[in-house]
Amino acid sequence: MRFTDMADEMFGTAQGALPAGVRLATAKRGGVTITRVEIAREGLAKPRGRYVTLEMPSVSVLDERDAAVIETCAAELRALLPPEGPVLVLGIGNRRVTADALGPRTAQKILVTMGPQHTLPVKGIRPVAAIAPGVSASTGLTLRQLAGAMVEAVRPAALICVDSLCSAEGARLGRSVQFSDTGLYPAQADHAKHLNAAALGVPAIAAGIPTLMDSDEGADLVVTPRALDSVIAHGSALLAGAINRALQPRLSVAQLFWLAG
């Protein structure tokens, strides 16, 4: 099986009987298929925790007018977050490489409410900070070092890590969103992007859209969606809208898009 970051691909019906300690349930809400995977023990292909995958029409055709999809994504994300306290959103990836730019592009669209310059005249607004830390080749620091320094400075109740994901199925590229409460845990065991609560000292939530698939042609080749530019542009808007709505339930989707610019 190709590398995949998607929990439902690892433990779905196509893979046979579920291992002990894994539960999988599927539901449909509007045009979105929701698959929840709960892993209750260690030692499996994915770390212990909760994973939610939302499958939908290509995100390349979605925008802020698709409020129902954003609401569905926000509800699933909200269930993984602590109910209150500051949140730091980390946009992970290389903004200069389109397939890896989902995280930085999403961070640009987050409604930032920390700091006096971002104060809103609305009660109950949650403190939120967002940053795209860049890549080690540009900063000279590892992602874990940067994330640790930012967590130390902000002291959030939770960290949301947004990154491009890898899928084993070409048909799912740009058509799925995954959230998990296990932190960022790439399919490759030695990957430098591992960020979790044990490493950072705060709950770490991962959010992403699959934009890459290993190619059959060779180890150094990957497959991306044909409409990759639109997937990144609209996918980052969808994720930012869902994150903003999950964190600021007092504001509507339309208000959040307007405020986030």
Side-chain angles (χ1 to χ4, degrees):
M1 184 178 180
R2 293 185 177 96
F3 276 131
T4 180
D5 294 312
M6 312 300 287
D8 63 336
E9 291 178 2
M10 287 186 171
F11 301 108
T13 54
Q15 305 308 317
L18 290 174
V22 177
R23 291 190 298 178
L24 184 148
T26 301
K28 201 152 182 92
R29 189 178 302 168
V32 179
T33 300
I34 304 168
T35 303
R36 301 183 183 94
V37 177
E38 186 171 349
I39 301 176
R41 68 180 179 90
E42 303 293 351
L44 296 174
K46 299 287 281 183
R48 180 177 180 175
R50 295 174 291 169
Y51 302 80
V52 183
T53 304
L54 302 99
E55 198 151 2
M56 61 198 70
S58 175
V59 299
S60 65
V61 298
L62 298 175
D63 58 27
E64 61 267 26
R65 292 169 293 183
D66 294 281
V69 176
I70 293 170
E71 293 281 10
T72 300
C73 291
E76 297 297 327
L77 175 59
R78 192 179 296 123
L80 302 176
L81 288 163
E84 57 186 19
V87 172
L88 173 62
V89 180
L90 211 59
I92 296 165
N94 188 339
R95 67 178 73 247
R96 295 184 177 138
V97 178
T98 305
D100 197 33
L102 180 70
R105 294 282 293 272
T106 300
Q108 289 178 332
K109 300 176 175 72
I110 296 299
L111 177 61
V112 173
T113 58
M114 292 186 72
Q117 71 273 32
H118 296 296
T119 300
L120 295 176
V122 181
K123 290 184 178 179
I125 293 298
R126 192 168 189 170
V128 176
I131 189 168
V135 294
S136 296
S138 299
T139 64
L141 299 171
T142 67
L143 179 59
R144 185 175 292 185
Q145 287 173 322
L146 289 166
M150 288 180 280
V151 165
E152 181 66 25
V154 177
R155 299 191 180 277
L159 176 71
I160 299 177
C161 305
V162 183
D163 195 15
S164 300
L165 302 178
C166 182
S167 174
E169 302 175 17
R172 305 191 74 192
L173 298 179
R175 294 178 179 271
S176 302
V177 173
Q178 180 173 270
F179 302 121
S180 75
D181 64 359
T182 62
L184 201 63
Y185 197 91
Q188 300 95 324
D190 60 347
H191 204 289
K193 285 186 177 179
H194 284 267
L195 295 176
N196 56 23
L200 299 172
V202 297
I205 312 300
I209 293 171
T211 62
L212 299 165
M213 182 183 75
D214 281 342
S215 170
D216 291 327
E217 303 289 322
D220 296 327
L221 298 175
V222 295
V223 176
T224 62
R226 187 183 300 274
L228 181 59
D229 287 340
S230 293
V231 166
I232 296 300
H234 291 260
S236 61
L238 170 66
L239 278 179
I243 292 169
N244 288 335
R245 181 70 173 129
L247 297 176
Q248 312 295 356
R250 291 174 178 264
L251 299 174
S252 69
V253 170
Q255 289 172 322
L256 288 162
F257 270 101
W258 183 78
L259 288 168

